[in-house]
Amino acid sequence: MKLQFSPADEQFRAEIAAWLADNLVGEFAQLKFRGGPGDEHMFPEERKKWERKLAEGGWTCVGWPKEHGGRGLSIEQQVIFFEEYARAGAPGRMGHIGDGLAGPTLIAFGSDEQKKKYLPGILSGTEFWCQGYSEPGAGSDLANVKTKARLDEASGKWIINGQKVWTSLAHESEYCFVIARTDPESKAHKGLGFFLIKMDQPGVTIRPIEQITGTSEFNEVFFDDAECDAGDIVGEPGEGWKVAMGLLGYERGVSTLGQQMAFQNELNEVVALAKRNGAAKDPVIRQRIADAHIGLKIMRYNSMRMLSGNSGDGSLQKEALIYKLYWATWHRDLGELAMDILGAEADILLDAPYELNRLQSLFLFTRSDTIYGGTNQIQRNIIAERGLGMPKELRP
């Protein structure tokens, strides 16, 4: 698609740029270019305070409809928002999952009561969400979930039992949206429910998983007779798969713009390093930097193509099928480029307590990108099956 910005759009660009320049100062100045993959553990409380600052200025949930508290921005203006956010070096969003995933899903599928209960906390930057999808044995094969939910007739509550894994920022979240099996005899994508669960309650145990980077921004979460109010299932029992797939549409829709904002900041850091240490004089390095720049632009315009056909209910367009495979491979390659630009320094921890620098953390973290959220191999199968209609025996 050809993206053009109107005079009104450019006026909006000036508005958000000026607000960021005026507010990303003082106590928030230390947050510039922090957060994101490999750096998600940094300044969590300060970044939560930044979310509240964004909310005060009306800059959370900018794409939500106005009737639900958002700004109702056009796709073009959402692109501008994320571009200027990246340009200012504003930090990775602690509220990303609520703003970009939970909120749009509730707007599309939730009841009026659920919207009234949960949307204000997301808008105000005071309540944070995590995602309870993956389980041991149900990562790429999400439909294999074993977590169970049964309705207790005496209390009128859903009782949740099971385990989730790779749950990013669970230890910083007030709520988790969870896929659980409401019909114990069901298989695959049938018989599932989509639940909204309070994290601070008996029966919920959060156990950090230490990564190769030495940080623990994601976790195992155990549900042992955890409770969920009867009104906190989105849709009907058995409709969980439909809601879950709708949410994945948002994950690979507008929320991709926020992800690309973080990628742009990382690429800028890589380029600055190459100029600083002389690696940019190497023609092969220069070509790889150019390829990374081109790849990020392609990623952006494919997202715009996806969003241009968005039906509003999160349903995936065919263009979205390639997105995870593309960005995961691009990001992994960026991590390798960063190490090659660092040279011998990439293998050295210079000062006690011998912590990784940001680009070393980026490299190590990106090794997981082609695994979580559906491995590259699974993504190719999805493209073959749903995008190309290939029979099973011919799929890669």
Side-chain angles (χ1 to χ4, degrees), residues 100-253:
L101 302 183
T105 300
L106 288 173
I107 290 170
F109 299 100
S111 66
D112 290 341
E113 291 77 11
Q114 289 166 347
K115 295 170 189 176
K116 183 178 180 180
K117 181 177 180 180
Y118 292 114
L119 296 185
I122 300 173
L123 278 163
S124 64
T126 57
E127 293 178 349
F128 299 92
W129 288 74
C130 58
Q131 182 173 9
Y133 274 27
S134 294
E135 301 180 5
S140 294
D141 184 13
L142 182 60
N144 196 38
V145 296
K146 297 293 192 296
T147 296
K148 292 181 173 57
R150 64 175 177 84
L151 186 61
D152 181 64
E153 299 294 342
S155 65
K157 296 180 181 290
W158 289 95
I159 307 301
I160 314 295
N161 283 280
Q163 177 186 357
K164 297 294 178 178
V165 73
W166 317 126
T167 311
S168 298
L169 297 178
H171 59 299
E172 301 286 355
S173 300
E174 280 75 32
Y175 296 100
C176 183
F177 48 86
V178 173
I179 303 175
R181 201 164 289 283
T182 56
D183 179 359
E185 303 302 321
S186 64
K187 297 183 183 299
H189 61 276
K190 297 181 179 179
L192 299 173
F194 190 99
F195 296 91
L196 312 174
I197 299 179
K198 186 173 176 57
M199 296 295 281
D200 183 15
Q201 64 162 298
V204 176
T205 302
I206 301 169
R207 188 174 299 164
I209 299 173
E210 185 170 328
Q211 304 156 209
I212 194 172
T213 57
T215 61
S216 305
E217 63 257 32
F218 52 61
N219 309 265
E220 297 175 283
V221 180
F222 298 88
F223 300 100
D224 298 294
D225 288 340
E227 295 183 347
C228 175
D229 289 341
D232 283 336
I233 180 173
V234 180
E236 298 296 325
E239 294 183 344
W241 186 255
K242 178 182 74 173
V243 179
M245 293 302 100
L247 183 141
L248 289 180
Y250 296 114
E251 186 174 35
R252 297 177 190 180

Side-chain angles (χ1 to χ4, degrees), residues 37-39 212-214 269-270 273 334-336 338-339 342-351 354-367:
D39 196 48
I212 194 172
T213 57
E269 188 171 352
V270 168
L273 171 67
L334 182 70
E336 293 175 356
M339 292 301 95
L342 275 169
E345 185 183 341
D347 298 325
I348 301 171
L349 301 180
L350 294 177
D351 300 306
Y354 305 109
E355 295 179 351
L356 299 167
N357 66 38
R358 281 168 52 79
L359 293 182
Q360 288 170 325
S361 292
L362 170 69
F363 167 70
L364 292 173
F365 189 91
T366 58
R367 309 312 296 173

Side-chain angles (χ1 to χ4, degrees), residues 11-64:
Q11 184 177 354
F12 171 76
R13 184 189 298 278
E15 179 188 354
I16 178 57
W19 188 90
L20 288 165
D22 289 342
N23 289 275
L24 200 56
V25 295
E27 61 180 319
F28 298 122
Q30 65 179 331
L31 304 183
K32 286 188 175 182
F33 301 104
R34 302 312 301 259
D39 196 48
E40 191 69 74
H41 60 292
M42 291 301 297
F43 303 113
E45 292 305 317
E46 294 83 353
R47 285 162 57 206
K48 286 183 178 180
K49 189 172 182 179
W50 171 249
E51 291 288 333
R52 297 192 291 273
K53 187 69 173 180
L54 286 172
E56 289 173 8
W59 296 111
T60 57
C61 311
V62 293
W64 289 15

